[in-house]
Amino acid sequence: VQLVESGGGLVQAGGSLRLSCSASGLTFGTYAVGWFRQAPGEDREFVGGIRRDGRTTYYGDSVKGRFTISRDNVEKTTYLQMNSLKPADAAVYYCVVDSRYYTGSDYQQRQYEYWGQGTQVTVSS
């Protein structure tokens, strides 16, 4: 399984970015998908997750209402649309997948099987 994130970069506060994560080596539609982030010196933080069929999403409190997760199971890609970005959103963003069945709380709490290499997001004030 390989996950490759892209779309990170430098953006001004209040701006938007769209991250992509392309997956290979798996039947993508059967995997739970999540996004995490980690800033220097900080703990890893749950950003959000999306169920296999893409109909249900979950978000961390700090990004609710600003970030949107989606997935395209045919293209084997997940997206993280980030709006109204703040300096506090600056971090390395990782997409993650897991073949096990996930319920709602699992998306935030469980250890995912596979991680991407991460993409850096920097937000200037």
Side-chain angles (χ1 to χ4, degrees), residues 2-29:
Q2 186 175 17
L3 304 171
V4 179
E5 299 98 335
S6 60
L10 173 64
V11 63
Q12 286 189 330
S16 298
L17 277 177
R18 188 193 197 203
L19 305 184
S20 300
C21 175
S22 179
S24 60
L26 75 168
T27 305
F28 186 68

Side-chain angles (χ1 to χ4, degrees), residues 14 35 48 57 64 72-74 86 89 94 97 107 110 117:
W35 286 88
T57 52
K64 280 180 183 176
D72 184 332
N73 288 342
V74 174
K86 307 173 182 179
D89 294 317
Y94 301 90
V97 298
Y107 283 84
R110 291 181 74 170
Q117 85 288 350

Side-chain angles (χ1 to χ4, degrees), residues 58-72:
Y58 308 90
Y59 297 96
D61 289 341
S62 63
V63 307
K64 280 180 183 176
R66 300 187 297 122
F67 289 13
T68 303
I69 296 173
S70 60
R71 65 189 293 168
D72 184 332

